[in-house]
Amino acid sequence: MSGGYSEASLISHQPKRLRLLYEPLCLLHTLSEVRGDRIKPGDILSEGPGLTAPGRYRSFVDAIAYICAYRKKPGYVTAAALEEAPDAIVVLLAANNDIDTAVVTLLEKVVMILSWIIDNPTVRLDTNEARGAMKILTAYVLDLNAPKIFDYYQRVNKLVSLVMGRLNAEPGLKADEALPPRADQDSTINLRNWVATHLSKSNMQLQESDMPSLALSSYRDREVFNALHHTTGSLELSLNFERLHKLLYKLGKHVAQCKRLIEATIRLRLELSRGLRIETIGGSWENRIPLLARTCNIQNIGHRIFSDPAKQDIFLRQLQQIYSEKELDRVLSKDLCKGKTRVHAELLVLDHFEQTGGRFLDERDRYIGCSKPACYLCHLFISCHPRGYASPPSHQKLYLNWRLPDIRTDEQNAATRFQHQQGVLFRMIDTVRRDLTNDIAARVGKRMGFADSTAGGTSTIIDIETDLSSSMSSLSLDELLKTLDRQDGAGRGPREPHMDPKFTPCGVPFFPSETSGEAESDDSATGGVGI
């Protein structure tokens, strides 16, 4: 166990009470890991051209979280929020595991670039200076995130041969075996050419070092991918086309997030004028899931859910019509009871505000951004919390490696936080029981899976020191770049050296002067194309 303190110093919920949550959760997970349709970002009323006030804030924290989650592994899922402090605006950051050195190094540079924009009011979205700042920022972000982009690239390669084979099929095949006649042939040719040009080099697979250039090409040419939307045919074929379309967009998503971060910073210039400071929140330790194998079976679970024997019998009969009782008991007692739990990144940030009483930059929208949509339990916890945190987007997947934020006896507001948690826990138990009984009564089968989020992560605040002067307004763009170059290497981990921020891939402009409304619509306030 990490974290520097023992379980004896924690204020803990009674194990029996926690089992009232985890036992029906295990049954829900066995029935279907996906608990419902995706919950997408709610529509925000417009204040005129550009991002709305809440939209600017959400774009900022979502972009920060996304560019820091540089690997597609559960421990790298990152959450962020903006906190108002007397001397600055604090960018709070937490990950399922601790924030590592490579992220700290990137954030030092990001803060310098954003501070330069804040301190220079002449830098607007339509100026060369803004485009130059975006170019520098994007270079650093793509360098760190090359491993994540490479993961997407490998997934693209697995799908592209199948999908492009359909696109290249001879005319006359059936609709479910080839591109339907109504597809636009010019757009199909453009897509074929793009794939042939950018997804390989000298007929060899690209390497991780090629990912920055691929990301820029994918962002620049994203309208080419719309050819995949013109397809119809069998369900399997349509799903493959849709998956490839989303993955191709994800190749360039970091570029889109850099653009959104710059745009949000410019529009939040007044609110951020006191300067930015970054603080990281330490991750949690792993703990055993609070279940007992000897009592984790459907008979006992049904008994604890229903006090009325008649309702209990109905529940068990309905459940046994869907799954074998013997098989369910085996899965519950032998597989699920052995799991470990962690506090997920969003809840680490939320608990920081609970512990310190801190204020969000926008108290009307107490929103915590994340590099991925929230899981079923994080969304449920945040929605049930009495202090009115903004409900996040959610992929509605259920992870049993989840737990409530830890509360130490010597922390601020420990008693109040524990009281809030008890109320949230009771509401979560009621909701989970209702979802379980409804699913069983409706005989809901397993839902189709989709790209997910992941989790884990205590509130040890680490202030990231930088060499920022009190004002960046006196620096030109070239001087900013030189300052960043002098900073290069400080605090870096063993990863490869930074990509030269001055590089421009041959024939690939960083940011087109004009983009279509259709293309921009895929970059939502929480991260653009489907995550």
Side-chain angles (χ1 to χ4, degrees), residues 441-484:
R443 300 187 184 184
V444 173
K446 283 189 174 292
R447 291 175 176 266
M448 184 179 299
F450 39 70
D452 57 280
S453 160
T454 35
T458 171
S459 297
T460 303
I461 299 296
I462 304 170
D463 193 356
I464 298 179
E465 299 290 343
T466 67
D467 293 336
L468 290 178
S469 61
S470 58
S471 174
M472 303 284 286
S473 59
S474 61
L475 297 181
S476 67
L477 186 61
D478 287 340
E479 289 170 333
L480 172 64
L481 184 55
K482 291 177 182 178
T483 303
L484 287 164

Short mmCIF file of all heavy atoms in Angstrom, two decimals, residues 441-484:
data_model
loop_
_atom_site.label_atom_id
_atom_site.label_comp_id
_atom_site.label_asym_id
_atom_site.label_seq_id
_atom_site.Cartn_x
_atom_site.Cartn_y
_atom_site.Cartn_z
N ALA A 441 -36.03 -7.83 -14.74
CA ALA A 441 -37.45 -7.91 -15.11
C ALA A 441 -37.63 -7.79 -16.62
O ALA A 441 -38.50 -8.45 -17.21
CB ALA A 441 -38.24 -6.83 -14.40
N ALA A 442 -36.79 -6.96 -17.26
CA ALA A 442 -36.88 -6.77 -18.71
C ALA A 442 -36.06 -7.78 -19.48
O ALA A 442 -36.04 -7.76 -20.71
CB ALA A 442 -36.44 -5.36 -19.08
N ARG A 443 -35.32 -8.65 -18.75
CA ARG A 443 -34.45 -9.65 -19.37
C ARG A 443 -33.47 -9.00 -20.34
O ARG A 443 -33.31 -9.44 -21.49
CB ARG A 443 -35.26 -10.71 -20.09
CG ARG A 443 -36.21 -11.47 -19.18
CD ARG A 443 -36.87 -12.61 -19.91
NE ARG A 443 -37.85 -13.28 -19.07
CZ ARG A 443 -38.53 -14.37 -19.43
NH1 ARG A 443 -38.33 -14.90 -20.62
NH2 ARG A 443 -39.40 -14.91 -18.61
N VAL A 444 -32.83 -7.94 -19.89
CA VAL A 444 -31.89 -7.21 -20.74
C VAL A 444 -30.64 -8.05 -20.93
O VAL A 444 -30.05 -8.53 -19.97
CB VAL A 444 -31.52 -5.85 -20.10
CG1 VAL A 444 -30.41 -5.18 -20.89
CG2 VAL A 444 -32.75 -4.96 -20.05
N GLY A 445 -30.25 -8.24 -22.18
CA GLY A 445 -29.02 -8.96 -22.47
C GLY A 445 -27.83 -8.02 -22.47
O GLY A 445 -27.94 -6.85 -22.13
N LYS A 446 -26.70 -8.54 -22.87
CA LYS A 446 -25.49 -7.72 -22.89
C LYS A 446 -25.60 -6.66 -23.99
O LYS A 446 -26.02 -6.94 -25.10
CB LYS A 446 -24.25 -8.58 -23.13
CG LYS A 446 -23.80 -9.34 -21.89
CD LYS A 446 -22.46 -9.99 -22.14
CE LYS A 446 -21.91 -10.64 -20.88
NZ LYS A 446 -21.55 -9.64 -19.86
N ARG A 447 -25.20 -5.43 -23.64
CA ARG A 447 -25.18 -4.36 -24.62
C ARG A 447 -23.90 -4.42 -25.43
O ARG A 447 -22.90 -4.97 -24.99
CB ARG A 447 -25.27 -2.99 -23.92
CG ARG A 447 -26.62 -2.71 -23.29
CD ARG A 447 -26.57 -1.41 -22.53
NE ARG A 447 -27.87 -1.05 -21.99
CZ ARG A 447 -28.74 -0.27 -22.60
NH1 ARG A 447 -28.44 0.24 -23.77
NH2 ARG A 447 -29.90 0.01 -22.05
N MET A 448 -23.94 -3.80 -26.60
CA MET A 448 -22.75 -3.75 -27.43
C MET A 448 -21.71 -2.85 -26.79
O MET A 448 -22.01 -1.77 -26.30
CB MET A 448 -23.12 -3.20 -28.82
CG MET A 448 -21.97 -3.18 -29.80
SD MET A 448 -22.50 -2.55 -31.39
CE MET A 448 -23.74 -3.78 -31.82
N GLY A 449 -20.47 -3.30 -26.77
CA GLY A 449 -19.41 -2.50 -26.18
C GLY A 449 -18.94 -1.41 -27.12
O GLY A 449 -19.21 -1.42 -28.32
N PHE A 450 -18.23 -0.42 -26.56
CA PHE A 450 -17.63 0.64 -27.36
C PHE A 450 -16.43 1.16 -26.61
O PHE A 450 -16.12 0.72 -25.51
CB PHE A 450 -18.62 1.78 -27.65
CG PHE A 450 -19.52 2.12 -26.49
CD1 PHE A 450 -19.03 2.74 -25.37
CD2 PHE A 450 -20.87 1.80 -26.54
CE1 PHE A 450 -19.85 3.06 -24.31
CE2 PHE A 450 -21.70 2.11 -25.48
CZ PHE A 450 -21.19 2.74 -24.36
N ALA A 451 -15.73 2.10 -27.21
CA ALA A 451 -14.51 2.64 -26.60
C ALA A 451 -14.82 3.15 -25.21
O ALA A 451 -15.84 3.77 -24.97
CB ALA A 451 -13.95 3.77 -27.46
N ASP A 452 -13.92 2.87 -24.28
CA ASP A 452 -14.25 3.09 -22.89
C ASP A 452 -13.34 4.09 -22.21
O ASP A 452 -12.44 4.64 -22.78
CB ASP A 452 -14.17 1.76 -22.14
CG ASP A 452 -12.81 1.12 -22.28
OD1 ASP A 452 -12.57 0.50 -23.33
OD2 ASP A 452 -11.99 1.26 -21.38
N SER A 453 -13.60 4.26 -20.92
CA SER A 453 -12.75 5.02 -20.02
C SER A 453 -12.19 4.04 -19.03
O SER A 453 -12.56 2.89 -19.00
CB SER A 453 -13.59 6.08 -19.32
OG SER A 453 -12.97 6.53 -18.17
N THR A 454 -11.29 4.50 -18.20
CA THR A 454 -10.70 3.61 -17.22
C THR A 454 -10.43 4.35 -15.94
O THR A 454 -10.73 5.51 -15.81
CB THR A 454 -9.39 3.03 -17.75
OG1 THR A 454 -8.75 4.02 -18.52
CG2 THR A 454 -9.62 1.80 -18.56
N ALA A 455 -9.81 3.67 -14.97
CA ALA A 455 -9.70 4.31 -13.70
C ALA A 455 -8.59 3.98 -12.72
O ALA A 455 -7.99 2.98 -12.82
CB ALA A 455 -10.97 4.08 -12.96
N GLY A 456 -8.50 4.86 -11.41
CA GLY A 456 -7.77 4.68 -10.16
C GLY A 456 -7.23 5.90 -9.48
O GLY A 456 -7.22 6.94 -9.90
N GLY A 457 -6.61 6.30 -8.38
CA GLY A 457 -6.03 7.48 -7.86
C GLY A 457 -6.05 8.24 -6.72
O GLY A 457 -6.61 8.65 -6.07
N THR A 458 -4.27 10.09 -3.30
CA THR A 458 -4.96 10.69 -2.28
C THR A 458 -4.64 12.13 -2.40
O THR A 458 -3.91 12.51 -3.26
CB THR A 458 -4.57 10.10 -0.97
OG1 THR A 458 -5.15 10.89 -0.10
CG2 THR A 458 -3.30 9.61 -0.61
N SER A 459 -5.07 12.77 -1.71
CA SER A 459 -5.03 14.17 -2.02
C SER A 459 -3.76 14.81 -1.51
O SER A 459 -3.79 15.65 -0.64
CB SER A 459 -6.25 14.87 -1.45
OG SER A 459 -7.41 14.37 -2.03
N THR A 460 -2.63 14.39 -2.02
CA THR A 460 -1.37 15.03 -1.73
C THR A 460 -1.13 16.06 -2.82
O THR A 460 -0.95 15.72 -3.97
CB THR A 460 -0.23 14.01 -1.72
OG1 THR A 460 -0.54 13.00 -0.77
CG2 THR A 460 1.08 14.67 -1.35
N ILE A 461 -1.16 17.34 -2.47
CA ILE A 461 -1.03 18.39 -3.46
C ILE A 461 0.45 18.67 -3.71
O ILE A 461 1.22 18.90 -2.79
CB ILE A 461 -1.73 19.68 -2.99
CG1 ILE A 461 -3.22 19.40 -2.79
CG2 ILE A 461 -1.52 20.81 -3.98
CD1 ILE A 461 -3.94 19.03 -4.05
N ILE A 462 0.83 18.65 -4.96
CA ILE A 462 2.21 18.95 -5.35
C ILE A 462 2.17 20.16 -6.26
O ILE A 462 1.54 20.15 -7.31
CB ILE A 462 2.85 17.76 -6.08
CG1 ILE A 462 2.76 16.50 -5.21
CG2 ILE A 462 4.28 18.06 -6.45
CD1 ILE A 462 3.13 15.24 -5.94
N ASP A 463 2.83 21.22 -5.86
CA ASP A 463 2.87 22.44 -6.66
C ASP A 463 4.01 22.34 -7.66
O ASP A 463 5.15 22.10 -7.29
CB ASP A 463 3.08 23.65 -5.73
CG ASP A 463 2.81 24.96 -6.44
OD1 ASP A 463 2.54 24.92 -7.65
OD2 ASP A 463 2.87 26.01 -5.78
N ILE A 464 3.70 22.49 -8.93
CA ILE A 464 4.73 22.43 -9.96
C ILE A 464 5.37 23.80 -10.10
O ILE A 464 4.72 24.78 -10.48
CB ILE A 464 4.13 21.99 -11.31
CG1 ILE A 464 3.55 20.57 -11.17
CG2 ILE A 464 5.16 22.04 -12.41
CD1 ILE A 464 2.93 20.06 -12.43
N GLU A 465 6.63 23.89 -9.78
CA GLU A 465 7.35 25.16 -9.87
C GLU A 465 7.81 25.39 -11.30
O GLU A 465 8.25 24.49 -11.99
CB GLU A 465 8.57 25.14 -8.94
CG GLU A 465 8.22 24.96 -7.46
CD GLU A 465 7.52 26.17 -6.88
OE1 GLU A 465 7.59 27.24 -7.50
OE2 GLU A 465 6.90 26.03 -5.82
N THR A 466 7.71 26.63 -11.75
CA THR A 466 8.24 27.00 -13.06
C THR A 466 9.10 28.24 -12.90
O THR A 466 9.11 28.88 -11.86
CB THR A 466 7.10 27.30 -14.05
OG1 THR A 466 6.42 28.48 -13.62
CG2 THR A 466 6.11 26.16 -14.11
N ASP A 467 9.81 28.58 -13.96
CA ASP A 467 10.66 29.76 -13.94
C ASP A 467 9.96 30.96 -14.57
O ASP A 467 10.59 31.85 -15.13
CB ASP A 467 11.97 29.48 -14.70
CG ASP A 467 12.81 28.45 -13.99
OD1 ASP A 467 12.64 28.32 -12.76
OD2 ASP A 467 13.62 27.78 -14.65
N LEU A 468 8.62 30.99 -14.50
CA LEU A 468 7.89 32.08 -15.12
C LEU A 468 8.15 33.39 -14.39
O LEU A 468 8.15 33.46 -13.17
CB LEU A 468 6.39 31.79 -15.08
CG LEU A 468 5.89 30.66 -15.99
CD1 LEU A 468 4.40 30.49 -15.79
CD2 LEU A 468 6.20 30.96 -17.43
N SER A 469 8.34 34.43 -15.16
CA SER A 469 8.41 35.76 -14.57
C SER A 469 6.99 36.24 -14.30
O SER A 469 6.03 35.60 -14.68
CB SER A 469 9.13 36.71 -15.53
OG SER A 469 8.41 36.79 -16.75
N SER A 470 6.86 37.40 -13.67
CA SER A 470 5.54 37.90 -13.34
C SER A 470 4.73 38.25 -14.57
O SER A 470 3.52 38.29 -14.53
CB SER A 470 5.65 39.12 -12.43
OG SER A 470 6.41 40.13 -13.07
N SER A 471 5.39 38.51 -15.69
CA SER A 471 4.67 38.85 -16.91
C SER A 471 5.41 38.30 -18.11
O SER A 471 6.63 38.31 -18.16
CB SER A 471 4.52 40.36 -17.04
OG SER A 471 3.94 40.69 -18.29
N MET A 472 4.64 37.78 -19.07
CA MET A 472 5.23 37.28 -20.31
C MET A 472 4.99 38.26 -21.45
O MET A 472 5.35 37.99 -22.59
CB MET A 472 4.59 35.93 -20.67
CG MET A 472 4.71 34.86 -19.60
SD MET A 472 6.35 34.16 -19.53
CE MET A 472 6.34 33.14 -21.00
N SER A 473 4.37 39.40 -21.15
CA SER A 473 3.94 40.30 -22.22
C SER A 473 5.09 40.92 -22.98
O SER A 473 4.93 41.35 -24.12
CB SER A 473 3.04 41.40 -21.65
OG SER A 473 3.74 42.14 -20.67
N SER A 474 6.28 40.97 -22.36
CA SER A 474 7.40 41.62 -23.03
C SER A 474 8.08 40.70 -24.05
O SER A 474 8.92 41.15 -24.81
CB SER A 474 8.43 42.07 -21.99
OG SER A 474 8.92 40.96 -21.26
N LEU A 475 7.71 39.42 -24.07
CA LEU A 475 8.36 38.48 -24.97
C LEU A 475 7.67 38.45 -26.32
O LEU A 475 6.44 38.44 -26.41
CB LEU A 475 8.33 37.06 -24.38
CG LEU A 475 9.07 36.83 -23.06
CD1 LEU A 475 8.95 35.36 -22.66
CD2 LEU A 475 10.53 37.22 -23.17
N SER A 476 8.48 38.41 -27.37
CA SER A 476 7.93 38.15 -28.69
C SER A 476 7.75 36.64 -28.84
O SER A 476 8.17 35.86 -27.99
CB SER A 476 8.88 38.66 -29.77
OG SER A 476 10.09 37.90 -29.75
N LEU A 477 7.13 36.22 -29.95
CA LEU A 477 6.93 34.79 -30.18
C LEU A 477 8.27 34.08 -30.28
O LEU A 477 8.46 32.98 -29.73
CB LEU A 477 6.10 34.58 -31.45
CG LEU A 477 5.69 33.14 -31.75
CD1 LEU A 477 4.81 32.60 -30.63
CD2 LEU A 477 4.95 33.06 -33.08
N ASP A 478 9.24 34.69 -30.97
CA ASP A 478 10.57 34.08 -31.08
C ASP A 478 11.25 33.98 -29.72
O ASP A 478 11.91 32.97 -29.41
CB ASP A 478 11.45 34.89 -32.04
CG ASP A 478 11.04 34.71 -33.49
OD1 ASP A 478 10.36 33.70 -33.78
OD2 ASP A 478 11.38 35.57 -34.32
N GLU A 479 11.08 35.02 -28.89
CA GLU A 479 11.69 34.98 -27.55
C GLU A 479 11.01 33.93 -26.68
O GLU A 479 11.67 33.27 -25.86
CB GLU A 479 11.58 36.36 -26.91
CG GLU A 479 12.50 37.40 -27.55
CD GLU A 479 12.20 38.81 -27.07
OE1 GLU A 479 11.04 39.08 -26.67
OE2 GLU A 479 13.13 39.64 -27.09
N LEU A 480 9.70 33.75 -26.86
CA LEU A 480 9.00 32.69 -26.13
C LEU A 480 9.57 31.33 -26.51
O LEU A 480 9.82 30.48 -25.64
CB LEU A 480 7.51 32.74 -26.44
CG LEU A 480 6.67 31.56 -25.90
CD1 LEU A 480 6.68 31.54 -24.38
CD2 LEU A 480 5.24 31.63 -26.43
N LEU A 481 9.78 31.12 -27.79
CA LEU A 481 10.33 29.85 -28.26
C LEU A 481 11.72 29.61 -27.69
O LEU A 481 12.06 28.50 -27.27
CB LEU A 481 10.36 29.82 -29.79
CG LEU A 481 10.82 28.52 -30.45
CD1 LEU A 481 9.99 27.34 -29.97
CD2 LEU A 481 10.75 28.65 -31.96
N LYS A 482 12.55 30.65 -27.64
CA LYS A 482 13.89 30.50 -27.07
C LYS A 482 13.82 30.18 -25.58
O LYS A 482 14.61 29.38 -25.07
CB LYS A 482 14.69 31.78 -27.30
CG LYS A 482 15.05 32.04 -28.77
CD LYS A 482 15.78 33.36 -28.94
CE LYS A 482 16.10 33.62 -30.42
NZ LYS A 482 16.76 34.94 -30.62
N THR A 483 12.88 30.81 -24.88
CA THR A 483 12.71 30.52 -23.46
C THR A 483 12.31 29.07 -23.24
O THR A 483 12.80 28.39 -22.34
CB THR A 483 11.64 31.45 -22.85
OG1 THR A 483 12.02 32.81 -23.08
CG2 THR A 483 11.50 31.21 -21.35
N LEU A 484 11.41 28.58 -24.10
CA LEU A 484 10.99 27.18 -24.01
C LEU A 484 12.16 26.25 -24.30
O LEU A 484 12.32 25.21 -23.65
CB LEU A 484 9.85 26.91 -24.99
CG LEU A 484 8.49 27.51 -24.61
CD1 LEU A 484 7.57 27.51 -25.82
CD2 LEU A 484 7.87 26.73 -23.47
#
